[in-house]
Amino acid sequence: MASKPKFSFESEPQVTIEDVDDSAEDRIATSFAGRTLFITGGTGFLGKVLLEKLLRSCGQLKKIYLLIRPKKGKNPQERIKDIFTNVLFDMVKQQRGESQILSQVEAIEGDVLLPGLGISDENLLKLREEVSIVYHCAATIRFDEPLRKAVFMNTRGTHYMLQLAATLKHLDLFAYVSTAYCHLHIKTLYEKPYDPPANPHQVMQACEWLNDDEVATIEKKILGDIPNTYAYTKSLAEALVVEKFNELPAVILRPSIVIPIWKEPLPGWTDNINGPTGLLIGAGKGVIRTMYCNSSGYGDFLPVDIAVNGMLVASWRFLTATDRSQVNQVAHMTSSSEIKVSWNEIIECGRWVIENKLPLNGVAWYPGGSMKSNYYVHAICMVLFHWLPALFVDALLILLRYPPVLWRVQKRINNGFQVFEYYANNVWNFDNTEAVKMRAQMNKKERLTYIIEKIDVDLVDYFTQCVLCARRLILKESDETIPAARRHMKIMWCVDKLVKGLWIALIVYGLYRCIFSNYFTSNTTLAQPLETF
């Protein structure tokens, strides 16, 4: 087994359970006690982790209303019960009991795409009379979402939420969950509002006037230098919130790229293949063998549990401020100002874990390949190591009367690369002054419960947990299959070396034939005049 790579960071002194005074007050939990919350996007990745953390650490809250659409023939309350079957909630169910947490969470049927959010008059009255905190997390995070749909979901949905918030009688906080990557023309982003790329009201109006096809024809012109509809529509939504800063107790929270859980409640947990998890799976299956990427560059990654902690701490700071006009209404949940992990470190770490500790089932080829700094070299490698093998394998499958697979997989990978390459070849920095200020205000109990400081992360252990959860929860590969996967990986290593050896032998043989063929041809040509003489 190859030696374990070492990636370490200088972390701040960590608070341990022994350091905590049991009598110390958790002021963050106290600020939520007795309150009723309204959350959109509670069925999403970040939304689930936010819901779990609130129930586990702020259990004295009164009620959480979740905006949920009916789906797959299930009513919203049934969907809430389905959410709590996720292993993410096992810890809080063991601590507090399933019936207790179910009694604190109630579905509100609705949809951010509908006028008035599609909420019934009865439920609207309930929200207006009870809710004091709103977290608006709902959004489409697809980077290739058609512009019109992205505007309706991310921008107009926020507009509808602000309209509702203005009618809430006891509103103390409206938190809009944005993204640190929504002002991409600014290479160093500070915790302040920025001008939007267009007037959000005019963009919403235009999308309501035009149909999908008409908007699609002018999409590139509207976006301009902005690479995707996600960043464009989130920056428009921020502008709508900023307009209400003087009218509502509103804040903008900007998490960066949220990745699987670091510590609690389940290390490595995720419910999607976005970000590094998708890269790990693709590379681990042997179907990603080249990437166009600045290997020394870095992205701003933050484990989702740390992001949620930051959201709650920022909320507490705003809720308990004696003079809210003195509190910054924009806060970042980012990491790169203190911890920088290069793309190369991520790839090498993930590769080591998959090759030596937790291989995946059904590996198409032994994991390999590299990042390319030259786009044309990458394009050649894409043809040689992605497209041609996919065509070959799918042709065999068709001959054997099986449906083709790899060509479709490579098309999805290519679509993902079109998004990934922009971010992987650019670097942004994010100021996190507000997080530093908030740490100084927290006592030891709060620092342990809501960790937002520079954490001591062992990247290899972290990626091991990520791969383990990806195997179990996303790929549905049981732990019992790990020994067989290791055997298969060894076989694929032998096949990989054999094929590479055969290719080298073929190239050497071809060169040998070419050189000696030219040598004998030239000697024969020189010999002919001598024979004539």
Side-chain angles (χ1 to χ4, degrees), residues 5 32 57 60 111 124 126 210 284 327 400 423 510:
F32 286 89
S57 299
Q60 296 305 308
D111 189 340
L124 277 175
K126 190 187 301 183
L210 304 173
V327 178
L400 295 171
Y423 292 92

Side-chain angles (χ1 to χ4, degrees), residues 446-457:
E446 292 157 353
R447 286 176 60 199
L448 183 65
T449 308
Y450 311 92
I451 297 173
I452 61 169
E453 55 205 53
K454 192 174 177 182
I455 56 178
D456 185 13
V457 180

Side-chain angles (χ1 to χ4, degrees), residues 345-414:
E345 288 173 328
I346 290 174
I347 295 300
E348 289 304 314
C349 218
R351 177 182 292 170
W352 188 89
V353 168
I354 287 175
E355 290 177 2
N356 297 282
K357 294 191 74 173
L358 288 171
L360 304 178
N361 293 347
V363 171
W365 201 261
Y366 188 76
S370 63
M371 288 176 282
K372 312 295 188 301
S373 58
N374 185 294
Y375 179 79
Y376 298 102
V377 173
H378 164 71
I380 292 169
C381 290
M382 278 286 289
V383 173
L384 294 176
F385 303 124
H386 283 205
W387 295 112
L388 288 180
L391 278 172
F392 177 73
V393 171
D394 278 357
L396 286 178
L397 289 172
I398 291 170
L399 288 174
L400 295 171
R401 297 185 178 180
Y402 289 102
V405 174
L406 279 184
W407 184 262
R408 186 175 67 254
V409 169
Q410 288 300 340
K411 285 179 71 175
R412 291 184 64 184
I413 289 172
N414 190 58

Side-chain angles (χ1 to χ4, degrees), residues 24-83:
E25 181 187 4
D26 182 346
R27 294 168 298 169
I28 298 170
T30 301
S31 69
F32 286 89
R35 291 184 178 273
T36 297
L37 286 69
F38 181 45
I39 300 175
T40 70
T43 59
F45 176 50
L46 183 130
K48 286 194 189 89
V49 178
L50 173 62
L51 175 63
E52 193 277 339
K53 182 68 175 181
L54 284 166
L55 291 169
R56 179 163 48 87
S57 299
C58 306
Q60 296 305 308
L61 57 82
K62 182 180 178 182
K63 197 83 170 179
I64 297 176
Y65 290 117
L66 295 183
L67 185 72
I68 298 184
R69 294 173 298 168
K71 194 175 183 181
K72 296 178 181 176
K74 294 183 178 180
N75 65 48
Q77 200 61 35
E78 289 174 329
R79 288 190 65 194
I80 284 182
K81 291 180 181 178
D82 287 345
I83 290 170

Side-chain angles (χ1 to χ4, degrees), residues 284-285 354-355 359-367 471 481-496:
K285 292 283 188 179
I354 287 175
E355 290 177 2
L360 304 178
N361 293 347
V363 171
W365 201 261
Y366 188 76
R471 283 184 110 262
T481 64
I482 292 175
R486 287 183 179 138
R487 291 192 296 271
H488 182 65
M489 185 67 80
K490 290 177 181 178
I491 293 171
M492 296 311 297
W493 182 88
C494 294
V495 172
D496 181 67

